[in-house]
């Protein structure tokens, strides 16, 4: 029996070793990826719920691994958040994304007289706590010729709650400079409703789990969703529904007055060359 326990224990430590080793390898790979800029930006359109006007897009990072191909953020962001590598990654996204949207908006305006698109980018909790963030963002906007009004930064409530007063100062600073702020994954944290009173935000992104839960027979989810939209309207905050996949979901969201959405119904995130930046509207295919 004692021997068996010993075996179990050594098996266990062996597993830990293996996990630690895999983590270490991933971290080393990520460091190289940051150095060599092995990333790519995918874009998912944000559209108006009713008439499908193309409003802008969210930039989502992909890692183009030399052997493994395109990796999704779920596979590497948790690791990058542990060691701060997420910061250079977010900055790479900002510089690449701002440069692209500046070029597109200038073409939209000059050649076609179309309104500008707004690019939304995710900011990790780690980076959000860094007080150099606002200056870095301004430097990138200047360098890339991107208007602050064309950029929205998506922050999660978890990132904000870690240091509420610091967060409010940062958000105010960014907004004073003309950058919009979205609360990402809204509704999945703890104190969402109470802190909405004090947090300066432009947009609420209703988490995909709410949209997925709103099957016709789930009255509670539908009521919650309608309430979030009402709160947004009342506070003069723009509401975006995430992860809309089906026409009936869109129709319900429209019926409760939710103004805009992202989701596979319109488009998956696509690489830059495939993004329809000259379109006025993007009706579901
Ligand atoms: P998120 O910010 O909540 O992004 C939305 C995720 O939902 C994206 O996954 C998107 O591809 C996916 N999605 C969009 N529409 C649908 C739909 O209709 N159905 C379903 N099932 N999924 C949909 P993705 O690209 O894998 O990104 C995952 C997460 O990784 C993001 O969640 C965000 O938290 C993080 N992330 C992505 N890019 C960056 C980045 O550049 N910086 C930072 N800090 N985080 C990032
Ligand atoms: Ca997001
Ligand atoms: Ca989200
Ligand atoms: Ca999410």
């Amino acid at each position: 029996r004692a021997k068996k326990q010993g075996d179990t224990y050594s098996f266990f430590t062996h597993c830990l070793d293996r996990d630690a080793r895999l983590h270490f390898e991933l971290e080393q790979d990520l460091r190289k990826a940051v150095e060599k800029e092995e990333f790519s930006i995918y874009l998912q359109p944000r559209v108006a719920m009713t008439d499908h006007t193309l409003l802008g897009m969210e930039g989502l990072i992909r890692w183009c691994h030399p052997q493994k191909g395109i990796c999704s953020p779920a596979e590497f962001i948790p690791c990058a958040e542990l060691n701060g590598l997420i910061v250079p990654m977010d900055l790479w996204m900002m510089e690449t994304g701002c440069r692209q949207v500046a070029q597109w908006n200038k073409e939209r305006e000059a050649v076609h007289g179309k309104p500008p698109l707004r690019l939304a980018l995710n900011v990790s909790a780690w980076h959000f706590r860094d007080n150099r963030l606002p200056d870095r963002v301004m430097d990138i906007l200047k360098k890339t010729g991107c208007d602050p009004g064309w950029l929205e930064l998506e922050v999660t409530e978890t990132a904000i709650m870690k240091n509420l007063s610091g967060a409010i100062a940062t958000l105010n600073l960014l907004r004073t400079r003309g950058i919009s702020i979205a609360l990402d994954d809204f509704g999945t944290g703890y104190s969402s409703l109470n802190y909405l009173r004090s947090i300066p935000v432009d947009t609420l992104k209703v988490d995909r789990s709410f949209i997925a839960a709103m099957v016709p027979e789930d009255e509670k989810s539908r009521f919650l969703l309608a309430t979030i939209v009402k709160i947004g309207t009342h506070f003069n905050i723009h509401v975006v529904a995430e992860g809309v996949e089906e026409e009936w979901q869109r129709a319900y969201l429209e019926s409760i007055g939710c103004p805009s959405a992202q989701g596979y119904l319109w488009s998956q995130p696509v690489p830059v060359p495939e993004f329809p930046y000259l379109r006025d509207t993007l009706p579901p295919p």
Side-chain angles (χ1 to χ4, degrees):
R1 192 182 151 85
K3 183 169 185 294
K4 207 172 174 197
Q5 258 176 1
D7 286 350
T8 310
Y9 176 74
S10 72
F11 174 72
F12 186 58
T13 44
H14 177 73
C15 278
L16 280 182
D17 284 350
R18 204 193 54 177
D19 278 3
R21 200 176 62 233
L22 282 178
H23 180 89
F24 181 75
E25 280 170 14
L26 177 60
E27 188 175 325
Q28 294 312 304
D29 269 15
L30 271 179
R31 270 184 212 289
K32 272 185 236 146
V34 166
E35 249 167 60
K36 297 188 186 154
E37 304 187 25
E38 291 170 355
F39 301 108
S40 152
I41 183 164
Y42 274 47
L43 298 167
Q44 184 178 43
R46 187 186 287 181
V47 297
M49 195 72 78
T50 305
D51 62 8
H52 309 288
T53 302
L54 177 63
L55 303 170
M57 57 289 211
E58 178 175 2
L60 296 152
I61 195 166
R62 299 291 181 268
W63 177 12
C64 312
H65 192 285
Q67 280 88 41
K68 293 177 206 147
I70 304 277
C71 292
S72 89
E75 296 171 56
F76 62 88
I77 284 200
C79 173
E81 269 174 343
L82 286 179
N83 48 38
L85 283 171
I86 191 69
V87 174
M89 286 161 53
D90 280 354
L91 290 170
W92 183 88
M93 288 290 285
M94 254 177 233
E95 186 162 339
T96 312
C98 288
R99 184 165 288 124
Q100 189 61 67
V101 83
Q103 187 196 318
W104 283 349
N105 280 343
K106 282 166 193 163
E107 182 181 342
R108 275 174 69 92
E109 150 95 282
V111 185
H112 312 272
K114 294 174 194 286
L117 301 172
R118 182 176 283 167
L119 171 70
L121 291 174
N122 297 284
V123 175
S124 77
W126 180 305
H127 199 185
F128 186 69
R129 279 197 301 276
D130 186 331
N131 57 18
R132 286 167 296 183
L133 176 71
D135 284 341
R136 281 176 173 164
V137 177
M138 292 317 288
D139 286 348
I140 288 174
L141 290 175
K142 212 161 141 197
K143 182 166 155 190
T144 58
C146 182
D147 190 295
W150 301 341
L151 181 63
E152 182 162 87
L153 296 180
E154 300 194 356
V155 191
T156 62
E157 60 187 43
T158 329
I160 287 175
M161 293 315 289
K162 292 229 164 91
N163 168 8
L164 190 57
S165 57
I168 291 176
T170 304
L171 295 179
N172 276 326
L173 191 55
L174 289 166
R175 285 178 95 222
T176 308
R177 294 171 179 182
I179 297 153
S180 308
I181 304 293
L183 260 188
D184 203 359
D185 302 344
F186 184 74
T188 57
Y190 291 105
S191 47
S192 337
L193 291 185
N194 189 36
Y195 77 68
L196 265 190
R197 291 186 302 171
S198 46
I199 291 189
V201 293
D202 304 274
T203 305
L204 289 184
K205 297 196 78 181
V206 183
D207 192 66
R208 185 167 83 228
S209 56
F210 281 91
I211 313 306
M214 71 172 186
V215 288
E217 54 287 6
D218 189 343
E219 270 300 315
K220 286 181 182 167
S221 293
R222 290 192 159 216
F223 183 79
L224 266 178
L225 201 60
T227 307
I228 292 176
V229 172
K230 269 202 194 118
I231 292 171
T233 315
H234 194 83
F235 282 60
N236 209 6
I237 300 174
H238 190 76
V239 179
V240 182
E242 288 191 319
V244 179
E245 296 181 353
E246 311 277 349
E247 167 53 31
W248 63 265
Q249 293 175 325
R250 190 206 62 79
Y252 177 72
L253 287 159
E254 181 180 21
S255 78
I256 59 172
C258 183
S260 62
Q262 288 176 223
Y264 295 170
L265 176 63
W266 293 273
S267 170
Q268 296 209 355
V270 295
V272 167
E274 285 169 39
F275 190 81
Y277 71 98
L278 283 176
R279 296 280 294 271
D280 299 307
T281 62
L282 206 73

